[in-house]
Amino acid sequence: MNQERTLIIIKPDALSKKVGGRIISAFEENNLRLVGAKFIHLGREQVEQFYAEHRGKEFYEPLVQFMTSNPCLAMAWEGPDAIKRAREVIGATDPAQAKEGTVRRNYATDNRHNAVHGSDSVKSAEREIAFFFTAAEIFDWEDKIYKK
Ligand code: CMP
């Protein structure tokens, strides 16, 4: 198994429903470990940059509106096969399609208000973690240091 890091965002709908703690527990209970976290109210430019690959899709503008509506919690998690593992914990984009027991099945409303985002590949995880965090904001639990 590959030791990986992934970027998870607890989205505005989940924080406003006060289920952030339960979502964090779901990752902790699945062999993942928190290495960084930031409470952040994203602006339009940030959301447009983060979701650049979706620009032009019919759901893009409402997605930007939603993601700027209230604060999020951006987090970096690590563990064995963290990217795949986190996506299993999260479930399908549309909560109606998500498996029983997944975060989106439990806490999402629809495929826009879907509670969380999780990186979909090693490359995206690197880009997305760097989007929110400097190296000095990610904790290394083995060496007990923040890298400079
Ligand atoms: P996320 O995993 O953050 O990645 C892109 C986001 O776009 C996705 O979660 C949803 O919030 C949103 N999204 C993707 N597909 C749709 C859709 N068909 N309708 C509305 N929103 C969508």
Side-chain angles (χ1 to χ4, degrees):
M1 287 212 220
N2 299 318
Q3 194 67 14
E4 291 174 347
R5 287 182 178 160
T6 189
L7 188 278
I8 304 292
I9 304 173
I10 301 184
K11 296 187 181 185
D13 57 325
L15 289 186
S16 88
K17 280 198 261 184
K18 299 199 286 188
V19 294
R22 292 185 218 179
I23 293 173
I24 288 173
S25 293
F27 293 113
E28 288 184 334
E29 285 160 9
N30 280 276
N31 209 18
L32 296 167
R33 187 158 66 166
L34 191 61
V35 294
K38 198 169 278 188
F39 184 78
I40 181 168
H41 197 151
L42 295 165
R44 167 171 280 274
E45 276 186 20
Q46 287 170 299
V47 175
E48 287 184 347
Q49 197 186 334
F50 186 80
Y51 283 123
E53 68 183 289
H54 296 301
R55 190 184 285 265
K57 295 181 183 166
E58 38 81 30
F59 62 78
Y60 178 74
E61 186 54 35
L63 173 65
V64 174
Q65 293 287 334
F66 164 57
M67 290 299 290
T68 54
S69 65
N70 277 303
C72 295
L73 186 63
M75 304 175 291
W77 289 82
E78 76 173 12
D81 290 332
I83 295 161
K84 183 163 168 273
R85 175 60 70 98
R87 288 176 73 80
E88 286 164 1
V89 172
I90 291 168
T93 303
D94 182 350
Q97 312 288 326
K99 284 190 190 148
E100 198 84 30
T102 59
V103 165
R104 283 176 173 156
R105 179 65 176 260
N106 287 341
Y107 307 118
T109 305
D110 54 43
N111 59 5
R112 176 171 317 122
H113 308 95
N114 66 353
V116 279
H117 166 83
S119 307
D120 64 4
S121 66
V122 172
K123 204 168 158 220
S124 323
E126 281 171 5
R127 179 185 80 84
E128 293 176 358
I129 289 171
F131 184 90
F132 287 101
F133 300 100
T134 65
E137 292 171 326
I138 301 290
F139 190 60
D140 184 326
W141 286 96
E142 307 307 320
D143 297 341
K144 308 271 181 237
I145 53 159
Y146 295 91
K147 296 212 168 63
K148 291 279 179 291

